[in-house]
Amino acid sequence: MACILFFGCGIYTFSGSTIPGHLKTVNIPLFKNQSLQPDIAETITSELTKKIQQNNLLKPVANNSDATINGIVIKYDNQPDIYGSNENREVNVNSYAVQIQVEVEFLDNKKDKELYPKMIITEEGIYNFKSETEKQGQKRAIEKIINKIMQNSMQS
């Protein structure tokens, strides 16, 4: 089943959700982007919306929602992760790490309170520079971010 998530060392599902029963719908406005990476906020917002639709606990809606998940992409970096040098002092990069940092909050609009207070999430996606692209590292980092958002907002 596609909604099984990998978090930390274990497998994570949403069968034990602690979402208050009065919440049926959620609005996920486009994350703000404070990074210099174009389209990263759109990608994260889209992936989060897909994951929420897949787990079927809340229905994403555009307006008048019971809950809201807000986010800001604070930072995006793509830097060497593993590298070495040879006798000629040439640096050889073997892998890169895409690191993404977001701030997220989950709000109960019906009771006008935070269910998931603002939290900074930083994740990275490592990719082999010789056989993969930055997009693959980015995808890995985004998956980890989505998993943490889901765990904290759907299980808080």
Side-chain angles (χ1 to χ4, degrees):
M1 187 162 136
C3 29
I4 294 176
L5 299 177
F6 297 94
F7 179 74
C9 306
I11 296 176
Y12 179 80
T13 67
F14 298 102
S15 58
S17 173
T18 57
I19 295 175
H22 65 276
L23 299 181
K24 305 293 183 211
T25 61
V26 64
N27 179 25
I28 308 163
L30 177 63
F31 278 34
K32 293 178 179 146
N33 189 2
Q34 294 178 350
S35 78
L36 298 177
Q37 182 67 24
D39 301 326
I40 192 67
E42 291 85 350
T43 303
I44 292 172
T45 305
S46 173
E47 291 302 314
L48 178 58
T49 302
K50 283 184 208 173
K51 190 59 77 177
I52 287 174
Q53 286 173 325
Q54 288 173 356
N55 82 31
N56 226 12
L57 290 175
L58 294 172
K59 179 182 177 189
V61 295
N63 298 313
N64 301 320
S65 62
D66 300 335
T68 302
I69 298 176
N70 291 312
I72 302 168
V73 180
I74 299 169
K75 182 174 113 179
Y76 181 100
D77 281 325
N78 182 37
Q79 297 187 4
D81 182 55
I82 298 175
Y83 55 91
S85 62
N86 61 24
E87 318 71 60
N88 299 329
R89 296 185 184 205
E90 294 174 57
V91 175
N92 298 315
V93 177
N94 296 322
S95 65
Y96 274 77
V98 170
Q99 187 180 73
I100 304 171
Q101 186 175 68
V102 298
E103 179 182 276
V104 181
E105 67 180 344
F106 185 38
L107 305 170
D108 180 334
N109 297 331
K110 287 201 165 205
K111 294 193 175 180
D112 196 27
K113 71 175 193 173
E114 290 181 329
L115 290 172
Y116 173 82
K118 287 183 182 179
M119 179 179 201
I120 304 291
I121 300 171
T122 304
E123 288 295 341
E124 69 179 16
I126 298 171
Y127 64 99
N128 182 321
F129 176 66
K130 295 175 183 163
S131 62
E132 298 177 298
T133 67
E134 180 179 343
K135 282 284 185 201
Q136 289 167 300
Q138 184 183 99
K139 181 178 178 184
R140 289 179 184 124
I142 291 171
E143 285 173 358
K144 291 176 183 179
I145 288 169
I146 300 302
N147 290 347
K148 279 195 177 174
I149 292 170
M150 295 297 288
Q151 181 185 30
N152 288 310
S153 60
M154 303 301 158
Q155 289 288 100
S156 53

